[in-house]
Amino acid sequence: GAGVSQTPSNKVTEKGKYVELRCDPISGHTALYWYRQSLGQGPEFLIYFQGTGAADDSGLPNDRFFAVRPEGSVSTLKIQRTERGDSAVYLCASSLIAGGQIDTQYFGPGTRLTVL
Amino acid sequence: AQKITQTQPGMFVQEKEAVTLDCTYDTSDPSYGLFWYKQPSSGEMIFLIYQGSYDQQNATEGRYSLNFQKARKSANLVISASQLGDSAMYFCAMREVGSGGGADGLTFGKGTHLIIQP
């Protein structure tokens, strides 16, 4: 079946602009995760959805970052007033089960965000 | 303190040799899972292998095996008979489940850049 998809694959924007990054998880996966990967680093957790609700947003760096998953499937990561330091690859992952169990997370190809 | 430590920034290995990528972790949570992912230059994170903290046997998946030493808090990845296509970044990651654990996402190490030479 289809894997996790993310759009756009690349996004170039100017400092101060607003951007939206989209993630379409594997069909039937209830859990969805967003990560940010800076150059030369491992991914860093941002937010986790269980169904439609954000179960854990402890990784969001500040209130400029927000994510939604209104119907429990597709998710959008929104960044307001972008800064050059937001430049990174934003990865989305999904897993079949959620909550207190451990399940394998499958990643999408990522969106490379560049803030000029 | 780092929760996941990968001490080898880069490794060069001859094709067909076995290779061990080191990973040590730090947690006080008795229930956790350990993962290895491969990230080729294309950028996608590819799941390789998983080990649960309560699993009695070391995980294996084809040419990949995980050398899990719980008392030492290490979870090294072993790739047997390396191939040119194994050249990539490799990340060790952990997910903690219990009340003493961290966020619900994975915590990743900084990765090891593996290069397989012909």
Side-chain angles (χ1 to χ4, degrees):
Chain A
V4 178
S5 61
Q6 292 185 246
T7 55
S9 55
N10 279 284
K11 176 71 177 178
V12 180
T13 191
E14 293 179 343
K15 181 174 177 295
K17 299 288 188 184
Y18 168 82
V19 297
E20 289 190 351
L21 312 180
R22 175 188 167 109
C23 172
D24 201 341
I26 293 171
S27 178
H29 280 195
T30 59
L32 185 147
Y33 307 79
W34 283 98
Y35 294 82
R36 178 169 70 175
Q37 185 175 22
S38 301
L39 194 63
Q41 303 293 318
E44 292 178 299
F45 168 74
L46 295 177
I47 186 169
Y48 149 60
F49 286 90
Q50 183 174 337
T52 59
D56 182 354
D57 63 358
S58 62
L60 294 178
N62 51 60
D63 60 7
R64 294 187 298 106
F65 288 75
F66 188 71
V68 296
R69 194 186 185 199
E71 298 178 356
S73 178
V74 172
S75 175
T76 304
L77 178 65
K78 309 180 181 197
I79 311 174
Q80 299 178 319
R81 304 183 303 280
T82 52
E83 299 177 356
R84 292 195 180 88
D86 298 336
S87 297
V89 175
Y90 289 81
L91 295 165
C92 176
S94 70
S95 69
L96 185 59
I97 57 177
Q101 301 179 71
I102 299 175
D103 196 20
T104 299
Q105 295 180 28
Y106 295 93
F107 283 78
T111 293
R112 181 175 298 277
L113 175 66
T114 303
V115 181
L116 301 176
Chain B
Q2 291 272 345
K3 285 209 168 187
I4 297 287
T5 303
Q6 293 183 253
T7 57
Q8 306 150 312
M11 287 185 72
F12 289 86
V13 173
Q14 287 296 119
E15 189 181 9
K16 299 180 185 175
E17 288 184 353
V19 56
T20 298
L21 305 181
D22 296 340
C23 173
T24 57
Y25 59 92
D26 182 24
T27 181
S28 58
D29 196 328
S31 180
Y32 54 90
L34 296 158
F35 298 80
W36 278 91
Y37 285 85
K38 172 183 178 181
Q39 189 175 44
S41 55
S42 60
E44 190 161 352
M45 297 287 285
I46 301 168
F47 166 71
L48 296 178
I49 197 166
Y50 164 77
Q51 179 86 41
S53 59
Y54 294 117
D55 292 344
Q56 295 296 313
Q57 294 190 330
N58 287 346
T60 61
E61 288 285 350
R63 292 187 300 114
Y64 305 107
S65 61
L66 203 152
N67 184 1
F68 182 46
Q69 298 189 36
K70 196 169 181 177
R72 293 186 176 185
K73 293 189 176 177
S74 79
N76 299 340
L77 176 69
V78 180
I79 306 174
S80 64
S82 58
Q83 303 171 356
L84 296 178
D86 293 334
S87 295
M89 285 291 294
Y90 287 80
F91 291 96
C92 179
M94 176 173 65
R95 164 84 191 276
E96 298 161 288
V97 179
S99 59
D104 285 289
L106 295 170
T107 301
F108 284 84
K110 293 186 181 235
T112 295
H113 188 191
L114 176 64
I115 297 173
I116 307 298
Q117 297 176 309

